[in-house]
Amino acid sequence: MIVAVDWAGVAQQVVSGLSSGGIYAMLAVALVLIYRATGVVNFAQGELAMFSTFVGWTLTQHGFAYWPAFLVTVLASFVGGIALERAVIRPVERASVLTIAIVTIGLFFVVNGAAFWIWSPEVKSMPNAFSTRPIRIAGVAFSISDLGIMGVSLLAVLVLWVFFRFTKLGLAMRAAALNPDSSRLTGIRVSWTIALGWGLATALGAVAGLMAAPPLGSFDQNFMQPILLYAFAGAVLGGIDSALGAVIGSLALGVFLNLLGTYVSWIGTDLRQAAALAVILVVLLVRPAGLLGTAVVRRV
Amino acid sequence: MSRALRIGAGVAVAGAAVVLVLVLPHWLSDAKAAEFARAGCFFIAIVGLNLVTGYTGQISLGHGALMAVGAYTTAILTANHGFRDLWTIPLAGLVAMAAGFVVGLPARRLSGLYLALATFAFAVAMPALLKRFSGLTGGSEGINLFDKALNHSTGALGHVHVLGRTLATNDFLFYLTWGIGLVLAGAAWLLVRGRVGRAFRAVRDSEVAAASSGINTGLYKMLAFGISGFYAGVGGSLFVLVSNWFVSPTTFGFDKSLLLIVGAVVGGLGSLAGMALGALFIQFVPDWAADLSSAPGAPSVFFGAAIILVMILLPAGLGGLFRRLAEPLTRRL
């Protein structure tokens, strides 16, 4: 059932798990951003990231190198995310959480369909962001691409943390998420902080998508769906209201999935998702608010 | 409105619904009757989902998988154990009810999104499990009762004789699904108005307050999932019959679960007439969208846009529109 373990192999699998975990983490943080601002899981988050990736892909088809295309796409996604929030979320801002969640499901269908409509169903491939050479560290060969993706993910999350922790705008956004009514009284335009949250989440999703696509070799319009699933699972595992929890949960999930896929062969690809979710469920039964989530104290 | 009036209004609506179901097939083509029958399956599942989400306040992303349990119960019993398909319908409900209790088990500790993830895990696992245990379920091929148990599949060869009358198969399926649907909707109506329904709503409005009034919140959440599983199972069982006596793992992918919750919210949680509209919405709007344009992806764009539009214009769902239109009337009563 379990094949012999060689430690170099394990180290490689852990690093490559951390790299996919880093991608889940970015999307998970995007989910947490929107969850904290509006109390909703954005079902369209993965599809938005996919759409951004296809925009980036188009740029690379028109003479852009990978990194310039990356930058343009992330900026465009930021603006696009804000515009989207103004167009479809703002009209239901005061409706129930479930109503907003259903709007994001509608958005899921629209964005997924639009990408098929615009880019036709053939699979695409993306130029690599990093060198495909391996690098030797302490006698073990690691993939530069894995390390690079890990680095970019951590950097992206770190930049976001600095923004929320040390800027006035970040403070305003945190305040608006925590207590919209009081924030409004102090002059924060709460509605716009939500839009800004959508912009940041969409930009973060774009980074995730652009990191995830090249190593796949070929990808189509559905490539972000399993990634969203893992991001959601990672975010819930960490505690859906904690960004740090989302990062830790996603990284742990990435490593766990990789080890599971490599060393427990009878699980197979089909059951891998199910097994991962089952393990998360067990963790949640022990800690019902996730690893780092705050247990909600309610006044009656 | 006084209690008597409210019950009177309920009876009147129920009577109107029965009459509508009885006469509708006369105006429908054969193919349309089949589509309406399929909507009837969604209706039953959505009424069940409404008990969990609308009345108990727990989001379920796994009702498609509960439908799968019902569907496979019917398919396996009919194909391999010589049952007549119609008699498996209540059994499918009971098996799915058991599955619903299992899905609801984490509800004893989890709430909100954490519980939603548990149901979500169930939905994602279902197709994989169905493929995995292929000895029982036929694997990714699925089960085709048309090949395997033709003589146990009611109406599979054209006509059905009921009460001395001969009905076209699709008309029969229409009456079957909507007949069962109305009975189950009536049962749900009675349930939510009784002690259990009151407990459900208390859990929804505030778990803490419900617990401090002596309601065992975990138990009632589980109960909601169990009962709702029965509905989904019956809906899934009927879904096999209206899908040409065929079921496969892809019939109940995660998208079905999403579709059901869309139907419930678009229809308007907490309104039974709304549930019917929600079922019709998820049955027919994708078809209309496909008629608009056949370009790849275009139908999906139109369907998604329709969902967003309904939610923006009617945040309380299509059922909310009914209530708003009826309000000037009912206020006078």
Side-chain angles (χ1 to χ4, degrees):
Chain A
M1 207 151 92
I2 294 180
V3 294
V5 176
D6 71 303
W7 291 108
V10 171
Q12 282 166 340
Q13 290 303 329
V14 168
V15 168
S16 112
L18 284 174
S19 125
S20 33
I23 290 167
Y24 309 154
M26 285 188 279
L27 213 56
V29 169
L31 287 175
V32 170
L33 261 178
I34 291 182
Y35 176 79
R36 290 190 60 153
T38 50
V40 169
V41 167
N42 179 8
F43 284 94
Q45 196 78 64
E47 295 313 289
L48 292 174
M50 175 276 293
F51 199 89
S52 300
T53 311
F54 272 72
V55 170
W57 175 82
T58 310
L59 291 175
T60 61
Q61 296 305 103
H62 287 82
F64 276 77
Y66 180 90
W67 287 106
F70 177 94
L71 233 106
V72 173
T73 307
V74 171
L75 287 176
S77 302
F78 176 69
V79 176
I82 291 179
L84 206 58
E85 197 279 340
R86 294 284 93 181
V88 300
I89 300 300
R90 184 170 157 70
V92 289
E93 211 173 72
R94 285 164 204 282
S96 75
V97 165
L98 210 51
T99 300
I100 308 177
I102 298 300
V103 169
T104 69
I105 293 181
L107 205 54
F108 171 97
F109 286 115
V110 171
V111 176
N112 181 276
F116 273 109
W117 207 352
I118 299 171
W119 284 289
S120 80
E122 293 102 54
V123 295
K124 315 280 187 279
S125 63
M126 188 93 170
N128 283 308
F130 301 99
S131 155
T132 46
R133 278 185 308 113
I135 183 173
R136 295 200 151 269
I137 299 169
V140 185
F142 293 107
S143 133
I144 289 190
S145 164
D146 280 350
L147 295 173
I149 291 174
M150 237 164 75
V152 169
S153 319
L154 290 181
L155 191 70
V157 172
L158 207 67
V159 166
L160 212 61
W161 178 76
V162 168
F163 167 75
F164 276 107
R165 181 72 185 74
F166 295 108
T167 68
K168 217 166 174 184
L169 191 55
L171 180 66
M173 285 181 70
R174 283 189 291 149
L178 206 62
N179 193 335
D181 292 330
S182 308
S183 307
R184 221 168 264 126
L185 290 176
T186 61
I188 296 170
R189 295 168 74 176
V190 173
S191 178
W192 272 101
T193 65
I194 295 175
L196 198 57
W198 268 73
L200 288 174
T202 313
L204 203 56
V207 179
L210 288 166
M211 285 291 120
L216 288 175
S218 65
F219 58 95
D220 69 358
Q221 282 85 343
N222 294 330
F223 86 103
M224 283 306 282
Q225 284 165 18
I227 298 180
L228 177 70
L229 192 161
Y230 295 135
F232 177 44
V236 172
L237 178 63
I240 187 74
D241 61 348
S242 154
L244 181 63
V247 172
I248 294 174
S250 302
L251 290 176
L253 183 65
V255 172
F256 175 70
L257 276 170
N258 237 4
L259 294 178
L260 201 67
T262 318
Y263 295 106
V264 192
S265 52
W266 61 270
I267 284 204
T269 39
D270 271 346
L271 275 184
R272 205 166 74 133
Q273 293 181 346
L277 290 169
V279 170
I280 290 171
L281 204 59
V282 172
V283 174
L284 284 183
L285 288 176
V286 180
R287 285 192 61 88
L291 296 174
L292 295 185
T294 40
V296 184
V297 180
R298 290 193 191 85
R299 222 185 316 188
V300 185
Chain B
M1 247 196 298
S2 75
R3 188 183 158 82
L5 267 174
R6 197 151 44 186
I7 291 174
V11 170
V13 169
V18 170
V19 170
L20 191 63
V21 165
L22 279 177
V23 298
L24 202 56
H26 294 290
W27 297 325
L28 296 174
S29 70
D30 197 43
K32 272 277 172 289
E35 287 170 15
F36 269 91
R38 189 184 273 252
C41 304
F42 287 137
F43 173 65
I44 296 170
I46 290 176
V47 168
L49 180 56
N50 190 24
L51 290 176
V52 167
T53 304
Y55 286 97
T56 320
Q58 309 300 318
I59 296 175
S60 167
L61 299 174
H63 264 59
L66 289 172
M67 277 183 91
V69 171
Y72 270 91
T73 307
T74 283
I76 292 168
L77 287 178
T78 310
N80 304 334
H81 300 281
F83 280 74
R84 181 147 207 100
D85 56 357
L86 294 185
W87 296 119
T88 64
I89 295 170
L91 296 175
L94 290 175
V95 173
M97 185 172 185
F101 275 119
V102 174
V103 176
L105 265 180
R108 298 185 70 91
R109 266 179 81 71
L110 305 181
S111 296
L113 274 177
Y114 300 96
L115 185 57
L117 181 85
T119 61
F120 178 66
F122 184 58
V124 170
M126 184 51 72
L129 289 173
L130 289 173
K131 282 181 202 159
R132 187 90 189 168
F133 297 103
S134 54
L136 194 62
T137 63
S140 43
E141 303 275 299
I143 299 175
N144 191 342
L145 295 181
F146 223 79
D147 298 339
K148 282 197 163 173
L150 193 55
N151 48 348
H152 292 298
S153 308
T154 309
L157 288 180
H159 290 277
V160 184
H161 303 282
V162 196
L163 305 172
R165 294 183 48 164
T166 305
L167 286 175
T169 303
N170 286 337
D171 285 351
F172 167 73
L173 290 175
F174 176 93
Y175 286 128
L176 184 70
T177 53
W178 284 96
I180 293 176
L182 286 184
V183 170
L184 287 181
W189 190 80
L190 290 175
L191 181 79
V192 297
R193 264 150 198 81
R195 187 188 169 84
V196 173
R198 218 161 37 237
F200 283 171
R201 272 176 310 213
V203 170
R204 175 192 64 191
D205 294 340
S206 164
E207 267 190 51
V208 180
S212 47
S213 332
I215 293 170
N216 185 340
T217 56
L219 188 74
Y220 273 102
K221 279 194 274 180
M222 246 178 88
L223 189 65
F225 270 99
I227 296 173
S228 165
F230 182 84
Y231 280 77
V234 170
S237 167
L238 289 165
F239 202 82
V240 181
L241 310 193
V242 302
S243 315
N244 295 316
W245 291 269
F246 173 68
V247 64
S248 79
T250 49
T251 319
F252 298 103
F254 173 59
D255 49 329
K256 273 285 184 307
S257 297
L258 272 192
L259 216 52
L260 288 176
I261 192 118
V262 165
V265 179
V266 164
L269 289 169
S271 136
L272 280 175
M275 297 297 106
L277 291 177
L280 295 173
F281 184 92
I282 58 174
Q283 169 61 35
F284 289 107
V285 175
D287 291 349
W288 294 337
D291 287 342
L292 279 179
S293 162
S294 58
S300 176
V301 173
F302 296 132
F303 179 53
I307 295 173
I308 295 174
L309 220 60
V310 171
M311 291 286 77
I312 288 177
L313 297 176
L314 303 164
L318 296 168
L321 179 68
F322 264 163
R323 212 166 286 169
R324 206 185 297 171
L325 289 178
E327 207 194 61
L329 282 173
T330 50
R331 219 179 13 213
R332 280 156 214 268
L333 289 174

